[in-house]
Amino acid sequence: MTRLSPNFTLEQMIKSDDHYPPSYREIANLTALTHHVLEFIWKRFNLKADDLLSAYRSVAHNAAIGGAKGSRHLTGDAADIRADDALQIEIAAYATTIEVLLPSGRTVYPVGGFGIYPGRKGLVHVDQRPRLADGRATTWAQIDGKYESLTPAM
């Protein structure tokens, strides 16, 4: 097993069995995702290993499950976490407040996007996309099969 961070292994982050392993860049992204996002969320909410539903996906696996063509999962920059409706909101609200101090002394907010899927899916999506120009994260909810933006217009 290849450990990426204290609570996550590479094998855990790759749940697809389609025989298309991640590249070195995608592994680097997964490592950053575990250190800068998932470790904080797991500690704060006392989550279990099987609460991680999806992280890296190959193009073939992503297409097979109906994932978005430009999914952040394809680059190892996203994770889906099992959570009931109430916990989805708490995780999403917390995720955007995570701060990471880089060796350069610069503080970054690694979560640039999150989505909640109330009711039907029971999951919250977090990703490391760049934040909007004003510093806000891109946020959405999937309600009755339709995506609704939760990011307020400025």
Side-chain angles (χ1 to χ4, degrees):
M1 292 214 290
T2 305
R3 187 146 303 279
L4 298 178
S5 68
N7 290 303
F8 297 94
T9 66
L10 179 60
E11 295 76 12
Q12 187 179 6
M13 301 299 284
I14 305 168
K15 296 215 175 180
S16 58
D17 57 357
D18 56 20
H19 310 293
Y20 294 100
S23 68
Y24 290 116
R25 178 179 294 277
E26 291 155 352
I27 292 171
N29 291 344
L30 288 167
T31 302
L33 179 68
T34 62
H35 279 279
H36 298 160
V37 179
L38 297 180
E39 289 290 346
F40 289 98
I41 292 171
W42 254 244
K43 183 177 179 180
R44 171 77 176 252
F45 296 100
N46 195 30
L47 298 177
K48 308 295 182 249
D50 65 348
D51 290 326
L52 177 67
L53 298 174
S54 178
Y56 170 76
R57 299 179 193 152
S58 71
V59 173
H61 180 72
N62 192 60
I65 65 167
K69 288 184 181 180
S71 173
R72 294 278 170 176
H73 291 278
L74 299 172
T75 57
D77 283 317
D80 292 337
I81 302 163
R82 180 189 337 269
D84 64 28
D85 289 357
L87 190 56
Q88 286 180 42
I89 302 296
E90 288 183 52
I91 291 172
Y94 172 71
T96 60
T97 68
I98 296 171
E99 296 180 357
V100 175
L101 181 63
L102 299 177
S104 66
R106 184 172 161 238
T107 299
V108 296
Y109 297 87
V111 176
F114 72 80
I116 59 172
Y117 298 77
R120 187 176 72 81
K121 288 192 175 183
L123 68 86
V124 61
H125 168 100
V126 294
D127 68 48
Q128 300 182 110
R129 76 182 67 205
R131 288 202 170 200
L132 300 171
D134 61 10
R136 294 175 300 142
T138 300
T139 60
W140 68 91
Q142 187 186 52
I143 302 169
D144 296 327
K146 298 177 189 157
Y147 288 94
E148 306 279 339
S149 175
L150 299 178
T151 307
M154 294 301 282

